[in-house]
């Protein structure tokens, strides 16, 4: 019985009940956006002229870096455009959902002591892992079915039944693959924090590989599992081999995770942590120093990753203007000065688009640290600190300040990597004022999300997971809002819609100051709430 899956069904039902709200919200956001986009694409790109125009844009390096290689062959259809624009981004958020699910159901519960309590009963050693795997299959399978149904209803021009099925299964399969990879990493890591860092870090590496090979050598995109989803050639060749590879890698990861679970002790990991010093340093004499010490590796990882990601996007700045500069028609219509101005406008718009992702990355890095206050309280890690003459305000500020500073530094790192590497690649570099305007526009938006994290952690800890959905929805709606003809009120559900088109437009200083004031207010309310509520 010790290594069996006894009571797997019971744990599955329990997990589904516990995660039902998160599942409903994820389905509403992702499937809702997908279905809404699918039903409108025939109107948005209903003529061959419209299709050809957007295809030329999708083939530019800037768009290839974001959406992947456009591999469809003529005659292009609305379905080709839809598949090209939606696959990479839907896959990205499916990955995020599954990482959270896989680690939250396994390593996080183990850290809290719940798994030890469960396994003290007549529950098999493998039951928690089996139950999580089944939940991953069920939620991704359901969403895959809903994606296919959405495509059937939309009846995109040029779509086929096989293509619709392949697209829904493709998006579901990348979620399953990374869910199972995260199950494996949860066994390798010593705690949930390390497992999350490893999972997101691995996805980041795969994404960078996908982006760089798509732009320079698409044949090498096969090296990145994240890029396999693009190789399906949906609505053109309809290749099923990438799906087999994706599910195959997921299955291998799951089998490896099971093998480790069979022999691993609770609260241990395959990758052992480095032993600490015999005597604590001066930095550990304060709560702020403690948080900095615990988070220093992850902070460095976020900063280095941010610089690399920004530099990768910046390296294609010099090629963004090719759509105008190499077009004989534009050269005849526009003079040299106008061409340079048009190229600069394209680059600034691309920088604005990148700002959306940089805000999300920066916000996530800080939110994870702030949310640690909740998890550390729940696990009992802070009991010894609470027994000392340290106020709850000081303790909360330690977590909040480290999270806030980390978010700010990561945003600066990603933006600087993109801007200065991009400038180095161009014959006519952008003026430095555009860097400061972009930073001035998106930094308050980042602080807004971090402020919500502080409020929820301090005053409403049970609602913290809703912030992930809000952040994901904000990025997706802002990104695809113009394509879906969404109203301005809809795209303005978050500060990402309020900042406008900075740096192509002037920075709204009043709005920036207002966002900073809201951030300060949310943080103060979070501290007040933490002081008033009982500890976990």
């Amino acid at each position: 019985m010790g290594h069996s899956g006894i009571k797997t069904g019971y744990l599955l039902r329990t997990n589904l009940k516990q995660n039902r709200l998160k599942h409903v919200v994820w389905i509403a956001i992702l499937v809702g956006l997908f279905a809404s986009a699918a039903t409108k694409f025939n109107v948005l790109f209903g003529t061959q002229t419209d299709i050809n125009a957007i295809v030329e844009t999708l083939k530019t390096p800037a768009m290839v870096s974001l959406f992947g290689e456009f591999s469809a062959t003529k005659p292009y259809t609305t379905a080709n455009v839809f598949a090209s624009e939606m696959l990479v981004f839907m896959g990205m958020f499916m990955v995020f959902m599954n990482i959270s699910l896989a680690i939250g159901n396994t390593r996080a519960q183990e850290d809290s002591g719940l798994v030890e309590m469960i396994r003290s009963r007549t529950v098999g050693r493998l039951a928690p892992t089996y139950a999580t795997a089944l939940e991953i299959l069920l939620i991704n399978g359901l969403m895959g079915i809903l994606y296919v149904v959405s495509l059937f209803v939309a009846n995109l021009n040029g779509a086929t039944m096989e293509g619709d099925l392949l697209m829904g299964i493709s998006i579901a399969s990348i979620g399953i693959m990374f869910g199972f990879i995260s199950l494996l990493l949860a066994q390798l890591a010593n705690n949930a924090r390390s497992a999350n860092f490893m999972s997101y870090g691995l996805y980041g590496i795969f994404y960078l590989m996908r982006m760089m090979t798509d732009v320079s050598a698409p044949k090498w995109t096969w090296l990145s599992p994240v890029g396999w989803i693009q190789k399906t050639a949906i609505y053109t060749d309809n290749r099923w081999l990438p799906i087999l590879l994706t599910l195959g890698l997921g299955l291998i990861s799951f089998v490896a995770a099971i093998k480790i679970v069979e022999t691993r002790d609770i609260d241990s990991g395959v990758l052992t942590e480095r032993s600490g010093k015999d005597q604590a340093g001066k930095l550990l004499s304060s709560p702020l120093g403690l948080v900095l010490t615990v988070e220093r590796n992850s902070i460095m990882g976020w900063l280095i990753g941010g610089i690399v990601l920004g530099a990768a996007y910046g390296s294609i700045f010099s090629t963004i203007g090719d759509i105008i500069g190499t077009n004989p028609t534009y050269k005849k219509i526009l003079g040299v000065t106008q061409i340079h101005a048009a190229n600069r406008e394209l680059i600034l718009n691309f920088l604005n688009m990148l700002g959306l992702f940089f805000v999300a990355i920066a916000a996530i890095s800080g939110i994870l640290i702030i949310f640690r206050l909740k998890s550390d309280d729940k696990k009992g890690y802070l009991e010894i600190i609470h027994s000392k003459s340290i106020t709850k305000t000081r303790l909360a500020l330690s977590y909040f300040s480290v999270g806030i500073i980390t978010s700010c530094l990561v945003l600066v790192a990603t933006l600087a990597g993109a801007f200065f590497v991009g400038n180095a690649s161009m014959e006519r570099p952008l003026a430095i004022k555009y860097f400061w305007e972009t930073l001035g526009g998106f930094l308050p938006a980042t602080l807004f999300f971090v402020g919500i994290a502080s409020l929820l952690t301090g005053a409403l800890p049970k609602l913290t997971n809703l912030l992930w959905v809000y952040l994901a929805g904000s990025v997706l709606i802002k990104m695809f809002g113009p394509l879906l003809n969404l109203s301005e009120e809809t795209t303005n559900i978050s500060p990402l819609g309020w900042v406008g088109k900075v740096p192509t437009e002037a920075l709204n200083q009043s709005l920036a100051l207002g966002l900073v004031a809201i951030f300060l207010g949310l943080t103060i309310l979070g501290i007040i709430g933490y002081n008033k509520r009982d500890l976990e």
Side-chain angles (χ1 to χ4, degrees):
M1 187 275 291
H3 289 192
S4 71
I6 291 177
K7 294 296 181 68
T8 294
Y10 175 79
L11 290 181
L12 174 61
R13 291 191 296 272
T14 302
N15 288 342
L16 288 172
K17 182 178 180 181
Q18 178 182 337
N19 297 326
R20 63 185 183 278
L21 178 59
K22 287 191 289 186
H23 290 333
V24 169
V25 174
W26 274 114
I27 290 173
I29 293 291
L30 296 184
V31 177
L33 177 70
F34 185 89
S36 178
T39 55
K40 293 185 177 182
F41 256 61
N42 277 338
V43 176
L44 294 172
F45 306 106
T47 67
Q48 198 62 47
T49 301
D50 293 334
I51 294 171
N52 291 338
I54 190 63
V55 166
E56 290 304 312
T57 302
L58 290 173
K59 288 182 177 181
T60 62
M63 295 299 102
V64 169
S65 68
L66 292 173
F67 299 115
E69 178 197 10
F70 187 87
S71 59
T73 56
K74 292 183 179 181
Y76 304 126
T77 67
T78 306
N80 294 143
V81 175
F82 182 79
S84 178
E85 290 195 6
M86 298 300 290
L87 271 177
V88 169
F89 277 96
M90 293 305 301
M92 176 188 298
F93 286 99
M94 290 292 285
V95 167
F96 293 165
M97 180 190 76
N98 280 276
I99 290 176
S100 174
L101 174 60
I103 296 176
N105 275 12
T106 54
R107 195 75 217 196
Q109 290 189 3
E110 189 171 326
D111 290 349
S112 68
L114 182 59
V115 171
E116 184 176 6
M117 182 179 67
I118 290 173
R119 281 173 44 178
S120 67
R121 314 296 293 177
T122 55
V123 175
R125 175 187 287 267
L126 302 177
T129 307
Y130 283 156
T132 301
L134 289 173
E135 187 174 5
I136 289 172
L137 290 173
L138 285 174
I139 186 64
N140 285 278
L142 174 61
M143 293 178 74
I145 292 171
L146 293 175
Y147 291 140
V148 173
V149 171
S150 300
L151 292 171
F152 283 167
V153 173
N155 192 25
L156 294 168
N157 296 331
T160 62
M161 181 175 294
E162 183 182 8
D164 290 347
L165 286 170
L166 181 57
M167 188 167 188
I169 294 173
S170 296
I171 300 173
S173 67
I174 193 172
I176 293 171
M177 177 185 72
F178 244 92
F180 287 174
I181 288 175
S182 295
L183 283 179
L184 173 59
L185 295 178
Q187 308 308 316
L188 297 177
N190 280 277
N191 50 61
R193 179 174 60 88
S194 297
N196 274 301
F197 183 73
M198 291 166 62
S199 296
Y200 285 108
L202 182 63
Y203 177 75
I205 293 172
F206 287 160
Y207 184 87
L208 277 172
M209 291 170 59
R210 192 276 318 159
M211 185 190 77
M212 297 177 71
T213 54
D214 272 343
V215 172
S216 59
K219 291 182 179 180
W220 290 98
T221 304
W222 283 102
L223 295 176
S224 171
V226 171
W228 293 346
I229 191 174
Q230 303 165 214
K231 300 301 184 180
T232 49
I234 297 172
Y235 301 123
T236 303
D237 296 327
N238 290 327
R239 305 187 190 115
W240 289 88
L241 176 60
I243 304 299
L244 297 178
L245 292 175
T246 301
L247 295 177
L249 179 57
L251 179 60
I252 292 171
S253 300
F254 175 68
V255 171
I258 290 298
K259 293 297 182 182
I260 296 174
V261 174
E262 288 179 336
T263 57
R264 183 179 64 83
D265 293 331
I266 289 180
D267 291 331
S268 66
V270 174
L271 303 177
T272 58
E273 292 183 328
R274 182 171 58 89
S275 299
K277 298 179 180 179
D278 294 335
Q279 293 184 343
K282 292 183 179 180
L283 192 62
L284 293 176
S285 62
S286 67
L288 179 60
L290 175 62
V291 177
L292 282 171
T293 301
V294 172
E295 298 292 342
R296 64 178 184 271
N297 290 336
S298 62
I299 292 173
M300 288 302 299
W302 280 108
L303 288 174
I304 294 172
I307 293 173
V308 172
L309 178 65
Y313 276 117
S315 65
I316 64 171
F317 275 20
S318 61
T319 62
I320 290 176
D322 288 349
I323 189 174
I324 291 179
T326 60
N327 190 307
T329 303
Y330 283 120
K331 283 187 174 182
K332 290 180 180 179
I333 296 175
L334 302 175
V336 175
T337 303
Q338 288 84 351
I339 288 177
H340 289 317
N343 285 345
R344 184 186 63 185
E345 192 75 9
L346 281 175
I347 295 171
L348 293 179
N349 274 285
F350 182 58
L351 192 59
N352 174 267
M353 187 180 300
L354 290 180
L356 302 177
F357 303 108
F358 293 167
V359 166
I361 292 169
I364 289 171
S365 67
I367 290 171
L368 288 173
I369 294 175
I370 293 173
F371 281 2
R372 285 272 294 176
L373 176 60
K374 170 191 171 182
S375 61
D376 287 353
D377 256 340
K378 191 173 183 179
K379 297 169 188 173
Y381 293 169
L382 303 181
E383 289 182 1
I384 191 171
I385 296 179
H386 288 304
S387 66
K388 303 292 183 180
S389 57
I390 295 175
T391 64
K392 293 175 71 175
T393 296
R394 184 182 177 189
L395 182 60
L397 274 174
S398 299
Y399 282 86
F400 293 175
S401 59
V402 174
I404 292 165
I405 293 172
T406 299
S407 285
C408 293
L409 291 176
V410 171
L411 180 65
V412 171
T414 51
L415 183 59
F419 188 88
F420 293 109
V421 171
N423 261 1
S425 69
M426 294 189 297
E427 294 182 2
R428 291 175 174 264
L430 299 173
I432 190 65
K433 69 175 183 178
Y434 294 118
F435 171 80
W436 295 114
E437 288 179 357
T438 307
L439 182 62
F442 286 108
L443 183 58
T446 304
L447 292 174
F448 179 86
F449 289 111
V450 175
I452 294 178
S454 300
L455 172 64
L456 294 178
T457 301
L460 302 166
K462 293 183 178 179
L463 302 180
T464 51
N465 285 326
L466 294 180
L467 179 54
W468 299 123
V469 180
Y470 178 55
L471 179 59
S474 299
V475 174
L476 286 170
I477 290 175
K478 177 60 178 176
M479 184 71 189
F480 293 103
L483 288 176
L484 304 179
N485 291 330
L486 297 180
S487 65
E488 185 175 349
E489 291 75 16
T490 302
T491 57
N492 287 344
I493 65 169
S494 78
L496 296 181
W498 308 343
V499 298
K501 298 292 290 183
V502 173
T504 58
E505 298 175 356
L507 171 65
N508 187 329
Q509 296 182 359
S510 298
L511 174 63
L513 292 174
L515 285 173
V516 172
I518 294 174
F519 150 72
L520 292 173
L522 292 171
T523 304
I524 292 171
L525 290 175
I527 294 172
I528 294 173
Y530 186 68
N531 274 280
K532 288 187 175 182
R533 71 176 175 86
D534 294 331
L535 300 177
E536 294 289 345

